[in-house]
Amino acid sequence: MDTHQLHQPLFDKSTTLLIIVLGLSAILVPILNLWVPSSSLFHIETYTVSLFGKYLCYAILALSVDLVWGYLGILSLGHGAFFALGGYAMGMYLMRQIGERGVYGNPELPDFMVFLNWQELPWFWQGFDMFWFACFMAIAVPGLLAFVFGWLAFRSRVSGVYLSIMTQAMTFALMLAFFRNEMGFGGNNGLTDFKDLLGFSLQNDATRIGLFVATVIALSLCYLLCRAIVTSRLGALTIAIRDAESRARFIGYAVEKSKLWLFVLSAAIAGIAGALYVPQVGIINPGEFSPLNSIEIVVWVALGGRATLYGAIVGALLVNYAKSWFTVEFPEVWLFALGALFVLATLYLPKGVSGLLQRKEANA
């Protein structure tokens, strides 16, 4: 067991620095966007604000994966599904807000349902005209799926590569299901053409800023929650389970319950990330369920550094910034660049960027 990870304070140097950086970004970005003239070098465009918001949503998603992979040793290749389910819950709310402003002017049915000759709103769309209900479902649906999946898998003591394959199969099955028009989720095109959120236009700069600040706050709270868990007695148990599961079970700890609880929590956090992602990007479709997306999340965490939490955030931000840059400058080589990043990190940064920082700090 890595004893240096036990009995750590909640607010260590990295946590304090991260919270300060996030707090400053929540203050400075709105100022530089709304009050600094567009002619100024320091002005931040609204498009860039939304891009940063998307990156932070990915950081929350990476945080959820690090919680179970870094501290429990569960390599989940299905967190993209939890992310997408949270996104669909918020997307359904945003579609219900369109009302008569849709192409077909139907106050109840979204445009894709009118196009497909649906006669009435399906039962599972009921309640999504209320924001609080959509927020609840964005957490509850991924959490419930994780509970059912985890309860079946962990009580059967499925682990290792077999569990990873099962999570990937779950994601792939959901992707195929959501592609079907009869499922009632927009089929191949998904949900899009959103108008407003809580009465505020999604095209308004102030709304974009509000979503960015909400994402910063959500990331900070999710990080502190995860940090509180991994520095508690439960965190010590998770590391024991990761490093010597059979020994922890032999001593008498409820290994399956601990794994299930954290797996459900990580799925709920991924759902929150998806709910924040959709209004900032403006679309949610079955492509978000793609198993490749879940594999990419693992790359973020591996590059940033497992079992550090802040490393997952750093990895998500670095990889997605690099992705945006490469897809603009060298779109044909992005996938090769991603593969090279993973290989180089494995060879020269086995503990990720956070491991490099820790090594420099130790030598200082």
Side-chain angles (χ1 to χ4, degrees), residues 124-146:
F124 49 84
W125 276 75
Q126 301 296 332
F128 279 96
D129 54 336
M130 296 178 287
F131 180 71
W132 70 265
F133 182 79
C135 292
F136 172 75
M137 295 302 285
I139 297 173
V141 172
L144 180 60
L145 176 61

Side-chain angles (χ1 to χ4, degrees), residues 29-75:
V29 170
I31 292 174
L32 295 177
N33 174 259
L34 296 175
W35 289 291
V36 173
S38 57
S39 57
S40 172
L41 179 65
F42 299 101
H43 176 76
I44 297 179
E45 298 289 342
T46 303
Y47 167 78
T48 306
V49 173
S50 296
L51 192 63
F52 287 164
K54 183 175 76 169
Y55 292 165
L56 293 177
C57 292
Y58 287 149
I60 298 173
L61 179 56
L63 191 68
S64 70
V65 172
D66 192 28
L67 184 63
V68 291
W69 186 32
Y71 291 90
L72 271 178
I74 299 174
L75 178 55

Side-chain angles (χ1 to χ4, degrees), residues 20-31 209 212-214 216-217 220:
I20 290 174
V21 170
L22 290 175
L24 287 174
S25 68
I27 296 171
L28 292 178
V29 170
I31 292 174
I209 286 293
F212 172 81
V213 173
V216 171
I217 293 172
S220 301

Side-chain angles (χ1 to χ4, degrees), residues 154 157 244-253 255-256 259:
F154 299 146
R157 299 190 181 179
E245 182 176 331
S246 57
R247 184 177 297 180
R249 184 179 288 109
F250 178 77
I251 293 172
Y253 287 108
V255 171
E256 283 73 27
K259 292 169 73 173

Side-chain angles (χ1 to χ4, degrees), residues 197-254:
L197 173 67
L198 293 173
F200 298 98
S201 171
L202 289 174
Q203 308 306 317
N204 190 286
D205 289 357
T207 306
R208 296 282 183 175
I209 286 293
L211 287 168
F212 172 81
V213 173
T215 308
V216 171
I217 293 172
L219 175 57
S220 301
L221 293 176
C222 288
Y223 177 84
L224 290 175
L225 173 61
C226 293
R227 179 71 185 170
I229 290 171
V230 301
T231 55
S232 67
R233 293 182 62 186
L234 177 59
L237 175 58
T238 61
I239 295 173
I241 293 172
R242 181 194 68 190
D243 295 341
E245 182 176 331
S246 57
R247 184 177 297 180
R249 184 179 288 109
F250 178 77
I251 293 172
Y253 287 108

Side-chain angles (χ1 to χ4, degrees), residues 46-116:
T46 303
Y47 167 78
T48 306
V49 173
S50 296
L51 192 63
F52 287 164
K54 183 175 76 169
Y55 292 165
L56 293 177
C57 292
Y58 287 149
I60 298 173
L61 179 56
L63 191 68
S64 70
V65 172
D66 192 28
L67 184 63
V68 291
W69 186 32
Y71 291 90
L72 271 178
I74 299 174
L75 178 55
S76 171
L77 298 179
H79 267 59
F82 304 136
F83 176 79
L85 288 171
Y88 265 96
M90 183 55 63
M92 291 165 73
Y93 164 77
L94 295 173
M95 291 297 290
R96 292 295 307 273
Q97 298 307 297
I98 296 175
E100 296 179 349
R101 292 172 294 173
V103 175
Y104 298 101
N106 192 302
E108 286 293 323
L109 298 181
D111 285 338
F112 74 88
M113 289 187 183
V114 178
F115 179 77
L116 294 173

